[in-house]
Amino acid sequence: MARVRLFANLREIAGSSQVDIEGDTVGAVVAALGDRFGPEFRRHLQTARLWKNGNEGSFEDSVKDDDELAVIPPVSGGAVAGAGAGGLDGLLLAGLMLVLIVANTLEVAIVVAIWVGVVALWVVDLVNSSSDSDFGLHPQPILASILVSMAIANTLGVIGLGIGVAVSMVLVMGWAVVRPSARDLTSIGASALGAVIASLAVASLLLARSVADGGDRQVAGLLIVIALGALVGRWTEASRSRMFDPYLVGPVLMIVAAVAVAYLSGFDLLAWFFIGLVLAFATIAGRGIGLAFRTGAIRLTARPDGLLAALDGPMLAVAVFMPMMSVIG
């Protein structure tokens, strides 16, 4: 019976920092850990480092009753990298951000149409990835709320943001009346949160482009800040760099990028520093929400499934942009 110490996301999944496991070798102990704590735990074990009594061990090392093993994931509590640097999700993220930045130079109607498509793709990816969790997301009311909120914001302006949120709630509750499977409280709450984020993301970008002073330049700055943060964060996560925390480097870069964009574009430096700060916190919160939907639990060190999981944080960041612009003037 070996004593095993668990760290970071492995500790979160197991629900304990220390367990006792039977096994004659390190490999046998690792296999027993995977059997006890399930497939997600086994997935993270694949990139973890093993230590026996303070020294790095191997699967062939024998284990005695008084031995202590430590299982340590990479990169500060680490993520299991998904497709790796240059993986499909990373390429897709880069492609979408490039399309949005280029499209921002076109007419408002084209920008909004492309953005609605991106948000709709994110919603479908989020719903598909959360199918194994207990949240029961329903795409129909979320997708409907995107279109309705966009129309309301286009008609009423900034006040339409609040009305759009209320309408999103009504659509989710209405869908629960139609579909019995959507009537449980967890499903209603999750779908309502998803609808609010998606509808605000679309309406916020529309209003920032069409209502705010210098809206096209403001939106361009927003997209550049978010793109830099998301792409650098994804690259750091995929490369398993030990120099930077992949979950903080992106948000921190957003703050720096926001100040740089303000300086180069002639925006108010203090206002855009505050914008960068809020975008950074929104990105972290959005990632946590996305992880909860996709994995069934909030574990910021996990690598969620889904080709558009890297958009979870940026989506909430975009959603808060126009409300924030309204506050700071």
Side-chain angles (χ1 to χ4, degrees):
M1 184 74 71
R3 177 156 295 177
V4 182
R5 297 178 63 193
L6 304 174
F7 296 86
N9 52 340
L10 294 177
R11 178 181 59 209
E12 295 173 5
I13 297 170
S16 175
S17 62
Q18 186 171 288
V19 294
D20 292 331
I21 295 287
E22 291 185 357
D24 296 330
T25 64
V26 171
V29 171
V30 169
L33 284 169
D35 291 339
R36 176 181 293 190
F37 297 116
E40 185 180 359
F41 191 93
R42 283 196 295 270
R43 184 163 61 90
H44 288 280
L45 277 174
Q46 294 174 4
T47 55
R49 300 182 67 180
L50 304 170
W51 296 78
K52 174 186 170 184
N53 299 328
N55 298 310
E56 192 162 9
S58 66
F59 283 173
E60 294 76 23
D61 291 345
S62 61
V63 174
K64 300 177 182 178
D65 288 344
D66 57 347
D67 286 335
E68 182 179 79
L69 304 181
V71 187
I72 306 175
V75 289
S76 65
V80 173
L88 183 57
D89 60 338
L91 290 175
L92 185 57
L93 174 64
L96 288 176
M97 298 309 300
L98 179 61
V99 166
L100 288 172
I101 292 173
V102 172
N104 188 57
T105 62
L106 306 176
E107 296 180 1
V108 174
I110 297 176
V111 177
V112 173
I114 293 175
W115 183 237
V116 166
V118 171
V119 176
L121 287 174
W122 171 74
V123 169
V124 172
D125 182 75
L126 185 67
V127 171
N128 289 338
S129 299
S130 65
S131 59
D132 293 333
S133 70
D134 297 327
F135 283 101
L137 279 173
H138 291 264
Q140 295 86 348
I142 301 177
L143 294 173
S145 69
I146 293 174
L147 298 177
V148 173
S149 296
M150 180 185 65
I152 293 174
N154 188 51
T155 303
L156 300 178
V158 176
I159 194 174
L161 289 173
I163 297 176
V165 169
V167 170
S168 298
M169 299 290 186
V170 172
L171 289 172
V172 170
M173 295 300 295
W175 185 251
V177 173
V178 175
R179 294 295 297 269
S181 61
R183 293 176 186 172
D184 64 280
L185 205 56
T186 301
S187 177
I188 292 174
S191 297
L193 181 56
V196 167
I197 293 174
S199 61
L200 276 179
V202 171
S204 182
L205 192 72
L206 167 65
L207 292 173
R209 176 66 192 267
S210 59
V211 175
D213 293 335
D216 55 341
R217 295 168 60 237
Q218 301 271 14
V219 170
L222 167 70
L223 294 175
I224 290 171
V225 169
I226 288 178
L228 285 173
L231 291 172
V232 171
R234 180 66 190 96
W235 175 83
T236 306
E237 182 180 5
S239 65
R240 306 180 192 179
S241 170
R242 295 184 181 278
M243 294 180 61
F244 304 102
D245 188 317
Y247 311 111
L248 290 179
V249 66
V252 169
L253 181 60
M254 284 183 175
I255 301 173
V256 177
V259 174
V261 164
Y263 178 78
L264 295 174
S265 303
F267 301 149
D268 184 277
L269 286 176
L270 182 59
W272 270 78
F273 170 76
F274 177 71
I275 288 173
L277 196 63
V278 175
L279 291 178
F281 279 107
T283 298
I284 295 172
R287 176 182 169 84
I289 293 171
L291 277 165
F293 285 154
R294 295 174 189 272
T295 67
I298 297 179
R299 289 191 287 267
L300 293 180
T301 54
R303 175 75 183 103
D305 294 327
L307 287 175
L308 296 180
L311 283 180
D312 293 348
M315 201 61 64
L316 184 59
V318 173
V320 302
F321 181 67
M322 188 58 199
M324 189 170 38
M325 292 289 291
S326 302
V327 171
I328 65 176

